[in-house]
Amino acid sequence: MQEPTTNSNLACIFDLDGVLVDTAVYHYKAWKQLANDMGFDFTEAQNEHLKGVNRMRSLDMILNWGGVEKTAEEKEVLATSKNTQYVSMINKMTAAEVLPGTINLLTALQQAGIKIALGSASKNAGVILERTQLTHFFDAIVDGNLVSASKPDPEVFVKGAAMVGVSPAQSVVFEDAQAGVDAALAANMKVVGVGQPENLKGAHVYVKDLSEITVEEIKALVKG
Ligand code: BG6
Ligand code: MG
């Protein structure tokens, strides 16, 4: 049997929503309910613009689209209400909702000795990873509770690389949102764009999902 090669000087940092699991539909339902309750609609096209955007900034954008103004206190109440509904949906998630290629790639990276970190804007990342049985793959988890600056600020990825002891130049980020690609580039990391190239400008490689990339291709990306 072939021994796995160790490569502990490399790190792969994964965004969560839209890369490992598809939670966009739950965010959409919860935001739509909130918008409808305030008397205006919220479309799937608008929801696309909220990818990678943190909770309060998302709320500000939705209120702006609806032409509604709220005080800081009212916004806190609205954000909490949306999150309560969102959490009630993600609490029912299962391993069946993990996106194609995820388990195979994470397993192969682990076997190759490559460090695996999470770099997500979500404050609910912990519960999503638990429900979908992905937690055990991660050497470090950086989520919305650990960062002060939202993507496109590079903080989330810089922290992830530091927590696994790998330099930014040896780190590869997987992202489905433009704000995340920009954050990774600002951190001086290589980026795999997951989704449509026109929504992920500047990524070094594009894939439809994680089944389209191998450990060898990831290693080549860092060398190149
Ligand atoms: C990101 C999502 O991963 O997390 C955004 O792409 C979301 O749509 C953000 O707003 C914050 O999530 P949460 O779970 O903290 O409200
Ligand atoms: Mg995402």
Side-chain angles (χ1 to χ4, degrees), residues 36-56:
N36 291 168
D37 290 348
M38 286 186 285
F40 60 91
D41 205 11
F42 168 62
T43 67
E44 288 194 54
Q46 287 170 323
N47 194 50
E48 282 300 304
H49 294 288
L50 304 184
K51 280 186 178 176
V53 177
N54 73 22
R55 196 180 308 162
M56 287 313 281

Side-chain angles (χ1 to χ4, degrees), residues 22-97:
D22 189 11
T23 44
V25 60
Y26 302 127
H27 280 297
Y28 176 60
K29 281 185 185 166
W31 283 130
K32 188 178 169 67
Q33 181 69 57
L34 196 84
N36 291 168
D37 290 348
M38 286 186 285
F40 60 91
D41 205 11
F42 168 62
T43 67
E44 288 194 54
Q46 287 170 323
N47 194 50
E48 282 300 304
H49 294 288
L50 304 184
K51 280 186 178 176
V53 177
N54 73 22
R55 196 180 308 162
M56 287 313 281
R57 172 93 189 102
S58 298
L59 176 62
D60 280 336
M61 288 169 72
I62 291 167
L63 292 174
N64 190 39
W65 288 324
V68 172
E69 281 191 28
K70 297 284 178 189
T71 64
E73 291 75 23
E74 286 168 334
K75 284 186 201 175
E76 282 298 332
V77 173
L78 289 168
T80 302
S81 159
K82 180 267 175 178
N83 192 54
T84 303
Q85 221 205 328
Y86 177 67
V87 169
S88 77
M89 290 186 272
I90 59 170
N91 264 330
K92 295 184 199 122
M93 284 182 85
T94 69
E97 288 169 83

Side-chain angles (χ1 to χ4, degrees), residues 8 20 43 53 68 78 82 86 108 116 120 132 149 156 158 172 178 189 195-196 202 210 213 223:
S8 56
L20 304 177
T43 67
V53 177
V68 172
L78 289 168
K82 180 267 175 178
Y86 177 67
I116 302 174
S120 169
T132 54
V156 65
V158 170
V172 179
Q178 187 66 54
M189 296 176 179
Q196 299 300 321
L210 298 181
I213 193 157
K223 274 197 206 118

